[in-house]
């Protein structure tokens, strides 16, 4: 049996499988051949001729241009290496021209590889001994030029490095100096790190730039001097050099701003004995709906402790602080939000310090604004408690000065009013010939009310002063004699309400001067009754006896007014009582008529 696992391996089965494979092979078209399009007429003609002869066209080998040996070639000169490329390329062209002027054999030997040179030398030695070197494959064959010795001593092979001088001594020294002038060991990685470090730390911070670049400080310092000097501006293209300058200038601006923020924070914190509990802003508004005063105080102190940009350390300090153990909002803040708030607080601290320094310079008589190209001299600020004490003292002095000014204005106004009143009194007095006979009941008395613009020193309850002097006989129900000896009418009173009590001398004085005293005070002090009454009492005590006598006369006049009003009120009450009893009797005599009820 030739069957294994259901497959028949007998001769008949193998023959059938082979025949089936041959049958299927007829259908295989093979791999498609692609013909290259040839647009060169000469090459196309050569291919057609070769095809007619039954061969292939031989390709003509181009003559390889022999270049300078590697030892004489220029290195790869990048822009950041700051070589004098124009002059070096000119020297290179001059050297190549001198090299091409040499014999071809010398050029080949100069450009020969070291291995080929050793093999060619061994073959030359074998030929000199009379033997023949073993022929090798075509790939290892090397054509060796055998220049004749002018002395006829045989053949020699020149080493590849031994060439006649191609440049003059002066030009060769210039080339060596130009090559030593560049920074051939600086790669693009070093150049990129140099630009980033210069923008981050400033071009003058050589130590940190060297640490970022990975070179010694001497090498970096030489590169910095060359880059920022005339060589850098000459060797770099205008676009690249301007790009780097703008990038570094932007970084320097950021560094200066950061230093100003750190200085403002440091100075403000130094003004407080315990900034963790006492720090506050007086001239800058830092209030926020999300952050409390304690949050801002601790964030600013932590920023001063760990430094600008150390937001991760500040977040860990928040997590470790027992003060914010249950402040889940502050504990869950991301780093970018913590950084924005800390930077905002640092800017507020800088503005606060600038305001305090400007105020201190103005008080000391120093210039508060710097001139162009110069800086203001440093000034030492006192502690925050002393600053607050000085501010309170200054405000107190300003209020006192303003109060004195307003009091002086009030006194001036009072003197003007008094002079105007005296003038009015003199104008109101008529000559004796123009007086009329006045009867006992006062029917013919002519009273003139004060016109617009005229004022009176009488209190608000007093009536207008008569234009004529009253005789000894007058009607006491209509008025009484005032302090000036003139008849002053009582205000009208109908007895419908109880009369106002008679005021004493000090009450009348206060009612007359209270408004003027309030106007002399600040708006927040006008509601302080104790202070207002104290000022009125001082003014009243400062009056002379004559002035007090005038106010006593007004108090006597007001007492007569009260007696008159009380008498009228009692009569009105009696009359009202009689009328009420009469109405009650009429109501009792009337018969009450019941109202008609509505039908449901």
């Amino acid at each position: 049996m030739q069957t294994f696992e259901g497959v028949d391996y007998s001769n008949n089965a193998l023959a059938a499988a082979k025949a089936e494979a041959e049958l299927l092979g007829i259908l295989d078209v093979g791999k498609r051949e692609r013909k290259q399009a040839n647009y060169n007429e000469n090459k196309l003609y050569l291919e057609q001729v070769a095809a007619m002869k039954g061969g292939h066209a031989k390709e003509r080998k181009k003559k390889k241009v022999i270049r300078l040996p590697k030892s004489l070639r220029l290195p790869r000169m990048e822009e950041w290496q700051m070589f004098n490329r124009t002059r070096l390329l000119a020297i290179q062209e001059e050297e190549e021209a001198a090299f091409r002027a040499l014999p071809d054999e010398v050029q080949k030997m100069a450009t020969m590889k070291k291995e080929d040179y050793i093999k060619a030398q061994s073959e030359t030695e074998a030929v000199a001994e009379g033997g023949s070197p073993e022929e090798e494959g075509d790939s290892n064959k090397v054509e060796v030029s055998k220049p004749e010795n002018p002395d006829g001593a045989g053949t020699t092979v020149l080493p590849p490095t031994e060439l006649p001088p191609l440049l003059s001594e002066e030009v060769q020294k210039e080339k060596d100096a130009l090559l030593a002038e560049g920074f051939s060991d600086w790669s693009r990685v070093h150049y990129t790190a140099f630009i980033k470090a210069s923008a981050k730390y400033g071009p003058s911070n050589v130590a940190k730039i060297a640490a970022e670049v990975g070179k010694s400080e001497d090498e970096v310092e030489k590169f910095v001097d060359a880059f920022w000097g005339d060589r850098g501006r000459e060797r770099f293209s205008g676009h690249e050099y301007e790009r780097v300058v703008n990038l570094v200038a932007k970084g320097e601006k950021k560094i200066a701003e950061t230093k100003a923020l750190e200085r403002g924070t440091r100075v403000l914190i130094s003004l407080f004995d315990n900034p963790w509990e006492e720090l506050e802003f007086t001239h800058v508004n830092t209030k926020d709906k999300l952050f409390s005063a304690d949050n801002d105080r601790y964030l600013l102190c932590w920023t001063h402790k760990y430094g600008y940009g150390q937001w991760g350390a500040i977040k860990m300090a928040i997590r470790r602080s027992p003060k914010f153990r249950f402040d889940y909002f502050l504990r869950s803040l991301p780093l970018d939000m913590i950084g924005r708030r800390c930077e905002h607080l640092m800017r507020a601290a800088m503005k606060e310090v600038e305001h305090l320094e400007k105020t201190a310079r103005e008080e000391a008589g120093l210039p508060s604004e710097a001139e162009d190209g110069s800086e203001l001299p440093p000034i030492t600020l006192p502690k925050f408690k002393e600053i607050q004490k000085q501010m309170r003292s200054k405000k107190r002095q300003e209020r006192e000065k303003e109060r004195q000014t307003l009091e002086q204005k009030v006194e001036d106004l009072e003197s003007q009013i008094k002079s105007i009143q005296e003038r009015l009194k003199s104008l109101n007095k008529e000559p004796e010939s123009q007086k009329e006979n006045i009867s006992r009941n006062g029917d013919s008395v002519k009273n003139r009310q004060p016109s617009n613009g005229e004022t009176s020193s009488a209190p608000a309850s007093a009536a207008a002063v008569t234009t004529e002097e009253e005789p000894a006989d007058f009607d006491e129900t209509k008025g009484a004699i005032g302090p000036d000896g003139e008849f002053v009418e009582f205000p009208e009173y109908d007895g419908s309400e109880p009369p106002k009590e008679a005021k004493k001398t000090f009450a009348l004085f206060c009612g007359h001067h209270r408004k003027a005293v309030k106007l002399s005070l600040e708006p927040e002090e006008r509601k302080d009754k104790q202070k207002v009454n104290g000022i009125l009492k001082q003014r009243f005590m400062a009056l002379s006896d004559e002035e007090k006598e005038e106010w006593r006369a007004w108090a006597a006049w007001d007492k007569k007014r009260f007696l008159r009003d009380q008498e009228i009120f009692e009569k009105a009450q009696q009359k009202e009582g009689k009328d009420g009893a009469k109405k009650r009797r009429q109501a009792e005599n009337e018969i009450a008529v019941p109202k008609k009820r509505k039908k449901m």
Side-chain angles (χ1 to χ4, degrees):
M1 295 294 291
Q2 298 183 4
T3 302
F4 179 72
E5 292 184 358
V7 178
D8 189 3
Y9 291 96
S10 61
N11 293 332
N12 295 333
L14 292 175
K18 187 175 181 181
E20 185 179 358
E22 291 178 354
L23 181 62
L24 293 175
I26 299 174
L27 302 177
D28 188 10
V29 295
K31 188 177 180 180
R32 175 179 160 184
E33 296 182 1
R34 296 181 180 270
K35 296 183 179 180
Q36 294 182 355
N38 191 1
Y39 299 101
N40 191 342
E41 295 179 358
N42 296 329
K43 190 175 182 181
L44 180 62
Y45 176 73
L46 292 175
E47 287 179 358
Q48 290 176 356
V49 171
M52 291 173 62
K53 292 181 179 181
H56 294 282
K58 295 182 179 180
E59 295 182 359
R60 295 180 180 179
K61 294 182 179 181
K62 294 182 180 179
K63 186 177 181 181
K64 187 176 181 181
V65 180
I66 299 176
R67 300 175 59 190
L68 282 173
K70 278 191 175 182
S71 60
L72 300 179
R73 295 177 196 170
L74 292 175
R76 185 174 181 180
M77 296 180 293
E78 299 292 349
E79 192 175 28
W80 59 82
Q81 294 174 345
M82 289 184 279
F83 286 103
N84 192 348
R85 300 177 67 184
T86 305
R87 180 57 185 157
L88 285 173
L89 290 176
I91 294 174
Q92 178 84 350
E93 291 178 0
E94 183 181 348
E95 195 171 8
E96 287 179 355
F99 181 74
R100 291 193 188 98
L102 296 175
D104 293 343
E105 292 79 4
V106 178
Q107 294 182 26
K108 288 181 181 180
M109 293 301 296
T111 56
M112 185 181 293
K113 294 181 181 181
K114 186 176 180 180
E115 296 82 1
D116 297 340
Y117 166 72
I118 295 171
K119 189 173 183 180
Q121 191 175 12
S122 62
E123 290 177 358
T124 305
E125 291 175 356
V127 171
E129 292 175 359
S132 59
E134 298 180 357
E135 295 181 359
E136 298 180 2
D138 295 338
S139 60
N140 295 328
K141 287 182 179 180
V142 178
E143 296 181 2
V144 181
S145 61
K146 302 174 183 178
E148 295 181 358
N149 194 341
D151 298 336
T155 58
T156 58
V157 178
L158 297 174
T161 56
E162 294 181 3
L163 283 175
L166 303 177
L167 299 173
S168 63
E169 187 177 354
E170 295 179 358
V171 178
Q172 185 65 38
K173 288 182 179 179
E174 183 183 1
K175 179 182 177 181
D176 296 340
L178 291 175
L179 289 174
E181 186 183 51
F183 300 89
S184 58
D185 57 340
W186 279 68
S187 64
R188 180 176 288 276
V189 177
H190 298 143
Y191 175 63
T192 306
F194 168 76
I195 294 174
K196 293 181 178 179
S198 299
K200 185 177 181 180
Y201 304 112
S204 59
N205 198 340
V206 179
K208 291 187 177 180
I209 294 176
E212 292 285 336
V213 173
K215 289 185 175 294
S216 64
E217 294 187 12
D218 296 337
E219 293 177 339
V220 173
E221 189 172 0
K222 291 179 181 178
F223 189 85
V224 167
D225 295 339
F227 182 83
W228 298 109
D230 297 334
R231 284 176 58 188
R233 284 189 289 270
E234 292 174 358
R235 308 290 165 80
F236 278 86
S237 62
H239 173 72
E240 174 66 14
Y241 195 78
E242 185 178 357
R243 181 186 72 83
V244 176
V245 169
N246 292 337
L247 187 65
V248 174
K250 190 182 294 184
E252 286 182 329
K253 185 178 179 181
K254 180 67 175 177
I255 292 171
E257 185 179 357
T258 303
K259 288 183 178 178
L261 292 176
E262 291 177 348
R263 177 190 173 276
T265 305
R266 182 176 64 255
V267 173
L268 182 64
I269 288 178
S270 65
L271 300 180
F272 298 89
D273 297 332
N274 184 13
W276 299 89
E277 301 296 337
E278 299 175 357
L279 192 145
E280 62 177 330
F281 295 89
T282 56
H283 301 91
V284 182
N285 184 17
T286 59
K287 293 182 179 179
D288 191 87
K289 294 181 179 179
L290 302 178
F291 297 90
S292 64
D294 286 340
N295 294 344
D296 292 343
R297 194 179 296 117
Y298 273 77
L299 286 175
L300 190 60
C301 292
W302 277 325
T303 306
H304 172 65
K305 179 180 179 180
Y306 297 110
Y308 178 83
Q310 303 298 325
W311 315 134
I314 295 175
K315 185 176 180 63
M316 292 304 298
I318 295 172
R319 295 282 182 90
R320 292 192 300 266
S321 176
K323 188 176 182 65
F324 305 107
R325 181 181 300 172
F326 303 106
D327 193 344
Y328 298 106
F329 168 75
L330 193 63
R331 293 169 65 89
S332 62
L333 284 179
L335 291 179
D336 56 346
M337 196 167 180
I338 292 175
R340 285 197 300 269
R341 186 59 183 174
C342 292
E343 188 172 351
H344 175 73
L345 293 173
M346 294 180 74
R347 293 185 186 279
M350 182 180 67
K351 293 180 181 179
E352 181 83 9
V353 171
E354 287 178 354
H355 180 82
L356 294 175
E357 289 182 347
K358 183 178 180 181
T359 306
R361 286 192 176 94
E362 290 177 353
E363 292 178 353
L366 299 175
S368 58
E369 295 183 0
E371 299 179 357
D372 296 337
S374 62
E375 295 183 357
L376 290 172
I379 186 170
T380 305
L381 295 175
K383 289 291 185 178
F384 185 76
K385 292 181 179 179
E386 297 180 3
I387 294 175
Q388 291 292 96
K389 187 176 180 181
Q390 293 175 3
M391 291 176 61
R392 288 193 295 268
S393 176
K394 186 177 179 181
K395 287 184 179 180
R396 194 181 302 110
Q397 292 176 1
E398 291 178 354
R399 287 197 299 269
E400 185 66 22
K401 186 176 180 181
E402 186 178 2
R403 186 182 67 80
Q404 292 177 0
T405 304
L406 293 175
E407 287 181 353
Q408 184 64 32
K409 289 182 179 180
V410 170
E411 291 178 0
D412 295 341
L413 289 174
E414 288 179 352
S415 62
Q416 292 178 9
I417 291 172
K418 191 172 182 180
S419 62
I420 292 172
Q421 289 176 350
E422 292 176 355
R423 178 59 180 164
L424 285 174
K425 290 177 183 179
S426 63
L427 292 175
N428 290 335
K429 292 181 180 179
E430 296 181 356
E432 295 288 338
S433 60
Q434 296 181 2
K435 289 185 180 181
E436 294 184 2
N437 294 326
I438 302 172
S439 60
R440 179 76 176 177
N441 55 9
D443 292 338
S444 62
V445 175
K446 295 181 180 179
N447 294 331
R448 182 173 63 87
Q449 299 293 335
S451 61
N452 294 333
E454 295 180 356
T455 58
S456 174
S457 60
S461 60
V465 181
T466 58
T467 59
E468 299 180 358
E469 295 183 356
E470 289 293 331
D473 298 332
F474 55 87
D475 191 355
E476 295 181 354
T477 60
K478 294 183 178 181
I481 299 298
D484 298 333
E486 297 180 356
F487 182 78
V488 181
E489 288 187 352
F490 295 138
E492 295 183 359
Y493 178 71
D494 56 358
S496 59
E497 296 180 356
K500 295 181 179 179
E501 294 289 338
K503 295 182 179 180
K504 296 184 179 181
T505 306
F506 181 68
L508 291 173
F509 175 82
C510 292
H512 183 68
H513 292 281
R514 187 179 298 275
K515 188 175 182 180
V517 171
K518 286 186 176 182
L519 292 174
S520 65
L521 299 174
E522 293 185 359
E524 61 270 12
E525 296 178 348
R526 293 174 185 173
K527 297 181 179 180
D528 191 353
K529 294 182 179 181
Q530 187 176 1
K531 187 169 185 178
V532 173
N533 293 335
I535 295 173
L536 290 170
K537 184 177 180 181
Q538 292 177 1
R539 292 192 180 185
F540 183 77
M541 297 299 293
L543 294 177
S544 61
D545 294 337
E546 295 179 356
E547 292 174 340
K548 289 182 179 179
E549 190 64 29
E550 182 180 356
W551 288 104
R552 293 192 189 99
W554 279 118
W557 179 90
D558 194 54
K559 186 175 181 181
K560 293 178 181 179
R561 188 268 316 162
F562 173 70
L563 294 175
R564 193 280 311 254
D565 293 349
Q566 190 176 18
E567 185 178 355
I568 295 173
F569 178 72
E570 292 176 356
K571 290 180 179 180
Q573 289 294 323
Q574 292 177 3
K575 185 177 180 182
E576 185 179 355
K578 293 180 180 179
D579 294 341
K582 186 176 180 180
K583 289 180 180 179
R584 285 195 297 274
R585 286 194 299 269
Q586 289 179 358
E588 291 175 357
N589 295 331
E590 291 179 357
I591 300 173
V593 179
K595 293 182 180 180
K596 187 177 181 181
R597 295 183 180 179
K598 293 182 180 180
K599 295 182 179 180
M600 300 300 291

